């Protein structure tokens, strides 16, 4: 089976480097599935889990604020933050979720604060989901 | 000549001082190690993002994004990276002098520029000079994480996007080696020199959904990472510079202690000699 080299890189250092059979993720324009031999592509990613498949097993990575760069044999995910399930601090994410929800209840929907709180909520939910393995 | 007890006191206090500077040197050395690791961990991210941005910029020139365009400069922003605490040798003074001179040379009036100082020393300096400050940032961790920097970086990038400023420069001490740091000026925005920077990457990409969307998310990220990179570099220089300053302080204290010990011994010997002379002359007077 052909594989893809996947590396996930953040400003605080590389998070993961390994080879997988398939990468699926949600780009801002919709779901993307990438197999080896894909044409070179760049797409911004939504705050979501990236799913990496190999030997029938799936690894999850929580990614926020990043984009994906695809080459025929290599996929690079550049994100401002990315965590493996075991590195996620669930308590912290829960707190962040709580905070974001409180703020959403107070703010008006056209506020910048509202948008920021929404993003924060998405990030927290994403982390919690990934940590629990869906 | 100082009395024996005076000299003794000075030796004691200098010894204590040496202990402190020695400890500070070791602390700085370990922080430097970590800072270097951080800076190294950041390199792959920076290289990758640079590569993608450059290939988009080189790939086609009819994409227009405000961050790629130079516009007439009415106001310039300067991010100046200094430290929060002193005792770092010439680290802060070098950078402040250089920024001050550049600004004096480039701008005639205070309305033409604004400064975003990072670190207490910098913001105090610019305040004292009466220079305009957009926002001051202090109390940054020694090993900053990207999340902490993001706010600063996006603030500066937003200033540019909102056309508050038309250019953004960053000043920091570039870490060359543990003993050499160079004051460096880097132009962050607009990103005009992207295309020629990296012509070897000729890989063409598909863009999903299109180039404009990509540039919209990518360019702010790129600018932010430039700021973050400069900050990591600056932090490494800060720790190195503090380590050197503390090492020479420790060496100097050692020298002073040696000198004082010598004069202490001399004074003691002089006192003994005098005592003997007194006894001998007293005995001679009795005979």
């Amino acid at each position: 089976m052909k594989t893809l080299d996947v590396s996930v890189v953040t400003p605080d250092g590389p998070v993961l480097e390994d080879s997988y059979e398939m990468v699926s993720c949600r780009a801002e324009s919709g779901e993307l599935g990438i197999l080896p031999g894909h044409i070179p592509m760049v797409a911004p990613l939504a705050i979501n889990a990236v799913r990496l498949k190999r030997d029938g097993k799936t690894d999850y990575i929580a990614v926020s604020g990043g984009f994906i760069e695809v080459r025929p044999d290599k996929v690079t995910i550049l994100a401002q933050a990315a965590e493996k399930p075991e590195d996620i601090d669930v308590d912290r994410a829960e707190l962040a979720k709580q905070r974001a929800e409180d703020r959403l209840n107070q703010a008006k929907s056209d506020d910048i604060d509202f948008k920021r709180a929404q993003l924060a909520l998405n990030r927290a939910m994403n982390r919690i989901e990934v940590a629990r393995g869906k | 000549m100082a009395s024996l007890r005076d000299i003794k006191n000075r030796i004691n206090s200098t010894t204590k001082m040496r202990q402190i500077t020695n400890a500070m040197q070791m602390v700085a050395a370990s922080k430097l190690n970590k800072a270097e690791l951080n800076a190294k961990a950041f390199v792959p991210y920076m290289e990758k993002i640079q590569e993608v941005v450059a290939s988009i910029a080189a790939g086609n020139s009819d994409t227009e994004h405000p961050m790629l365009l130079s516009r007439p400069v009415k106001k310039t922003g300067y991010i100046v990276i200094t430290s929060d605490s002193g005792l770092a040798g010439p680290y802060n003074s070098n950078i402040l002098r250089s920024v001050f001179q550049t600004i004096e040379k480039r701008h005639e009036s205070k309305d033409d520029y604004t400064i975003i100082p990072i670190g207490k020393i910098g913001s105090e300096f610019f305040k004292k000079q009466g220079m305009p400050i957009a926002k001051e940032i202090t109390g940054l961790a020694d090993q900053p994480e990207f999340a902490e920097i993001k706010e600063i970086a996006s603030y500066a990038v937003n200033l540019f996007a909102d056309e508050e400023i038309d250019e953004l420069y960053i000043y920091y001490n570039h870490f060359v080696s543990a003993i050499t740091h160079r004051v460096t000026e880097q132009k962050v925005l607009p990103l005009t020199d992207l295309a020629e920077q990296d012509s070897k990457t000729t890989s063409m990409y598909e863009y999903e959904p299109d180039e404009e969307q990509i540039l919209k998310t990518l360019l702010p990220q790129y600018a932010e990472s430039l700021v973050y990179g400069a900050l990591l570099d600056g932090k490494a220089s800060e720790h190195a510079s503090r380590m050197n300053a503390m090492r020479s302080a420790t060496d100097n204290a050692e020298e002073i202690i040696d000198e004082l010990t010598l004069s202490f011994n001399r004074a003691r010997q002089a006192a003994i000699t005098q005592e003997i002379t007194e006894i001998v002359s007293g005995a001679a007077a009795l005979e």
Side-chain angles (χ1 to χ4, degrees), chain A residues 119-131:
Chain A
L119 283 177
L121 182 64
N122 285 348
R123 280 198 295 270
M125 302 264 282
N126 180 29
R127 285 201 174 103
I128 293 167
E129 275 170 21
V130 168

Side-chain angles (χ1 to χ4, degrees), chain B residues 217-280:
Chain B
T217 50
L218 193 57
L219 287 180
Q221 255 189 51
Y222 178 65
E224 282 164 16
S225 51
L226 279 179
V227 176
Y228 184 58
L231 208 93
L232 287 182
D233 206 345
K235 278 285 176 194
S237 315
E238 179 192 333
H239 297 314
S241 171
R242 176 162 298 133
M243 189 180 82
N244 288 331
M246 288 301 112
R247 185 167 43 222
S248 48
T250 312
D251 289 350
N252 287 344
E254 206 121 335
E255 217 167 276
I256 289 175
I257 291 172
D258 282 350
E259 267 166 36
L260 285 175
T261 316
L262 195 66
S263 49
F264 176 80
N265 288 342
R266 261 195 208 129
R268 192 193 54 198
Q269 198 53 52
I272 294 170
T273 313
Q274 196 185 358
E275 232 170 88
I276 292 176
T277 324
E278 274 162 14
I279 293 169
V280 170

